[in-house]
Amino acid sequence: MLTVQYFARFREELGTSREQLPMEGFESVECVLKHLSERGDNWARILGDGQQVQIAVNQDMARRHTPIKAGDEVAFFPPVTGG
Amino acid sequence: MLTVQYFARFREELGTSREQLPMEGFESVECVLKHLSERGDNWARILGDGQQVQIAVNQDMARRHTPIKAGDEVAFFPPVTGG
Amino acid sequence: MFEQIRVQTDDFDLSHEVKALREGHKDIGAVVSFVGTVRDVNDHADVAVLELEHYPGMTEKALENIRQKAHQRWPLQNSLIIHRVGEMRPCDQIVLVAVASRHREAAFEGAHFIMDFLKTHAPFWKKETLPDGTTRWVDARLSDDEAKKKWLKASENA
Amino acid sequence: MFEQIRVQTDDFDLSHEVKALREGHKDIGAVVSFVGTVRDVNDHADVAVLELEHYPGMTEKALENIRQKAHQRWPLQNSLIIHRVGEMRPCDQIVLVAVASRHREAAFEGAHFIMDFLKTHAPFWKKETLPDGTTRWVDARLSDDEAKKKWLKASENA
């Protein structure tokens, strides 16, 4: 399994903050994004190709090609605006 | 007349913090320095040619070639070390 | 015990924190602090409430990582990052970064570096509520990304 | 009345001063403060007492001049320089420079600029007393002069 988290605007617009995904041959973050964006409208609009998505894997900033494995915690969020 | 002030190490080593000098054709700070350094040992050592002397004229940082006139307040001191 | 990374809802006191930061380090000659505050106007609209969301766990890890990087890069005696979360109002303090060093150059650069990376690498998000009750998420500033890049460039040239 | 230039024997409170600096400016988003402190070790010798001498009249004029230059160069909402004179001891606060702006870049640069010019253009002199009672005047650091020059260079390139 994979834990996926959403924050801020993504959390609000996708209507969920956290879910478990079965590992379906996800080699990298890219595969997870592709899988999720196939869910339809909001998912494609927010997580689809060309969207500004920041990524964390196991609480470290990551990229689309970052490899993932079962048990990982993956998070998607808009560009951060702290400080 | 000219008011001349000395600060910090200069004040201590010259044994004076303030004096009045008659204006004897002093066109610039350079002339005053030359006049003072002719007083002898400590004066030559501290204010003579090639010494590191910082200068203020009327409470603004100045240079050796800064012109002066009667009534001016001239100050000589070592490089500042505040902060 | 002085915690160098704190994510909290409570406000903080600058004097108190800087004093604690210096405690036990007699060779500190310079402390640079940055305090970020809620402006009442952002992009030409009044702000009534600002809400700070974060990613618990990752936030602390990201901040500690940034802090460590600053210590690797400059000779710093101590440093501190406090970031508030939850609801804040105009003029409230949001963030404190304080850096202590023997000399001022390292303290200024270290604090500036931490703030620039905090802005781009720490998982915080701001949501504004306007006086009419409408809300909007604050957009990331392109200039923040550029501010971060100047440190990467400086590092390559070093 | 908030005095933006102060030369005093008394200590100061950082929180109090930063709060006063921000008072009435709701568009401030960033405050950078620098606190200089007495180190107990300078050039490998213990310091028991530090005495700060200054040039009354010129000091205030020089500090105000530096402050104005910073305001001309960056969009600053407010700024403050407090410099202590007289006798101080290790760990005592000597100087506070605090600068408030809408954004952090100007606040960091403005505070750093003021400190670099204060170090080379404000008439203060430090005299150390060592534990055995001997005294010595602190030498100016060459690096302070170089630090100032980087701003002149930046200005020429601008």
Side-chain angles (χ1 to χ4, degrees):
Chain A
M1 297 291 275
L2 207 61
T3 304
V4 184
Q5 296 197 71
Y6 310 95
F7 289 96
R9 184 169 57 78
F10 288 12
R11 175 181 52 72
E12 280 190 351
E13 296 182 7
L14 296 173
T16 180
S17 61
R18 187 190 181 92
E19 63 178 308
Q20 301 280 329
L21 274 189
M23 276 299 281
E24 294 170 355
F26 298 144
E27 290 184 356
S28 69
V29 173
E30 184 75 64
C31 310
V32 183
L33 278 169
K34 189 167 180 297
H35 172 84
L36 292 169
S37 62
E38 280 165 2
R39 286 177 177 175
D41 281 6
N42 266 0
W43 296 87
R45 183 175 55 78
I46 293 169
L47 302 178
D49 280 354
Q51 296 309 305
Q52 261 213 322
V53 177
Q54 286 199 344
I55 301 156
V57 173
N58 297 328
Q59 307 191 345
D60 281 321
M61 285 290 190
R63 289 159 183 275
R64 285 172 183 267
H65 57 71
T66 301
I68 52 170
K69 57 182 193 310
D72 279 353
E73 176 177 310
V74 179
F76 299 116
F77 42 81
V80 301
T81 57
Chain B
M1 298 292 276
L2 207 62
T3 304
V4 184
Q5 297 197 71
Y6 309 95
F7 289 95
R9 184 169 58 77
F10 288 13
R11 175 181 52 71
E12 280 190 350
E13 296 184 5
L14 296 172
T16 181
S17 62
R18 187 190 181 91
E19 63 178 308
Q20 302 280 329
L21 274 189
M23 275 299 281
E24 295 169 355
F26 298 144
E27 290 185 357
S28 69
V29 173
E30 183 75 63
C31 311
V32 183
L33 278 170
K34 189 167 179 298
H35 173 83
L36 292 170
S37 62
E38 281 164 2
R39 286 178 177 174
D41 280 7
N42 266 359
W43 296 87
R45 183 175 56 78
I46 292 170
L47 302 177
D49 278 355
Q51 296 310 303
Q52 261 214 320
V53 178
Q54 286 200 343
I55 301 155
V57 173
N58 297 328
Q59 308 191 345
D60 280 322
M61 286 290 190
R63 290 160 183 275
R64 285 173 181 266
H65 58 70
T66 301
I68 53 170
K69 58 183 191 311
D72 279 353
E73 177 177 310
V74 179
F76 299 116
F77 41 80
V80 302
T81 56
Chain C
M1 176 63 199
F2 181 71
E3 290 281 347
Q4 285 146 324
I5 298 290
R6 283 175 256 164
V7 180
Q8 61 189 45
T9 52
D10 290 348
D11 196 10
F12 50 82
D13 179 71
L14 181 56
S15 295
H16 176 83
E17 296 303 339
V18 166
K19 201 178 160 200
L21 180 84
R22 293 175 50 204
E23 198 81 35
H25 299 270
K26 281 191 157 186
D27 49 352
I28 288 173
V31 178
V32 170
S33 348
F34 175 91
V35 175
T37 55
V38 184
R39 273 177 287 141
D40 69 338
V41 174
N42 202 8
D43 289 337
H44 312 293
D46 289 355
V47 176
V49 179
L50 188 73
E51 208 181 322
L52 252 297
E53 176 173 334
H54 78 121
Y55 181 172
M58 176 171 173
T59 311
E60 293 79 359
K61 195 175 173 181
L63 294 178
E64 179 58 19
N65 193 264
I66 295 166
R67 209 179 68 81
Q68 293 294 342
K69 279 210 173 76
H71 278 258
Q72 281 158 23
R73 196 153 167 174
W74 291 278
L76 307 180
Q77 251 64 21
N78 206 357
S79 63
L80 164 70
I81 307 176
I82 299 178
H83 204 298
R84 292 179 67 197
V85 292
E87 269 194 15
M88 278 157 265
R89 280 159 205 288
C91 298
D92 280 358
Q93 304 185 116
I94 307 174
V95 59
L96 167 62
V97 167
V99 167
S101 184
R102 285 178 62 83
H103 298 294
R104 72 185 180 287
E105 191 69 20
F108 270 115
E109 298 236 308
H112 199 162
F113 173 93
I114 289 175
M115 272 311 300
D116 283 349
F117 276 81
L118 186 156
K119 282 271 178 186
T120 50
H121 282 61
F124 293 103
W125 301 273
K126 283 180 183 148
K127 187 186 195 175
E128 294 173 341
T129 303
L130 307 186
D132 65 3
T134 58
T135 62
R136 62 177 187 189
W137 289 96
V138 174
D139 281 331
R141 293 167 65 217
L142 185 62
S143 60
D144 283 334
D145 211 48
E146 281 158 9
K148 178 199 69 180
K149 281 179 186 156
K150 80 175 169 245
W151 299 107
L152 305 177
K153 223 169 145 186
S155 169
E156 280 159 18
N157 294 342
Chain D
M1 176 62 198
F2 181 72
E3 292 281 347
Q4 284 146 324
I5 298 291
R6 282 175 258 165
V7 180
Q8 62 189 44
T9 52
D10 290 348
D11 197 10
F12 51 81
D13 180 70
L14 181 57
S15 295
H16 176 83
E17 295 304 339
V18 167
K19 201 178 159 199
L21 180 84
R22 293 175 50 204
E23 198 81 35
H25 298 270
K26 280 191 157 187
D27 49 352
I28 288 173
V31 178
V32 170
S33 348
F34 175 91
V35 175
T37 56
V38 184
R39 274 176 286 141
D40 69 338
V41 175
N42 203 7
D43 290 339
H44 311 293
D46 289 355
V47 176
V49 179
L50 188 72
E51 208 182 322
L52 252 298
E53 177 173 334
H54 79 122
Y55 181 172
M58 176 170 172
T59 312
E60 293 79 359
K61 195 175 173 183
L63 294 178
E64 179 58 17
N65 193 266
I66 295 167
R67 209 179 69 81
Q68 293 294 341
K69 278 210 173 75
H71 278 257
Q72 282 158 24
R73 196 154 168 170
W74 291 278
L76 307 180
Q77 251 64 20
N78 205 358
S79 62
L80 164 70
I81 307 175
I82 299 178
H83 204 297
R84 292 178 67 197
V85 290
E87 267 195 15
M88 279 158 263
R89 281 160 203 288
C91 297
D92 280 357
Q93 304 185 116
I94 306 174
V95 59
L96 167 62
V97 167
V99 167
S101 183
R102 287 178 62 84
H103 298 294
R104 72 185 181 286
E105 191 70 18
F108 270 116
E109 298 236 308
H112 199 162
F113 173 94
I114 290 175
M115 272 311 300
D116 282 349
F117 277 82
L118 186 155
K119 281 271 178 186
T120 50
H121 283 60
F124 293 104
W125 301 273
K126 283 179 183 150
K127 187 186 194 175
E128 295 172 342
T129 303
L130 308 187
D132 66 5
T134 58
T135 62
R136 59 177 190 189
W137 289 96
V138 174
D139 281 331
R141 293 165 66 217
L142 185 62
S143 60
D144 284 333
D145 211 48
E146 281 158 10
K148 177 199 70 181
K149 281 180 186 155
K150 81 175 169 245
W151 298 106
L152 305 177
K153 224 170 144 185
S155 170
E156 281 159 20
N157 294 342

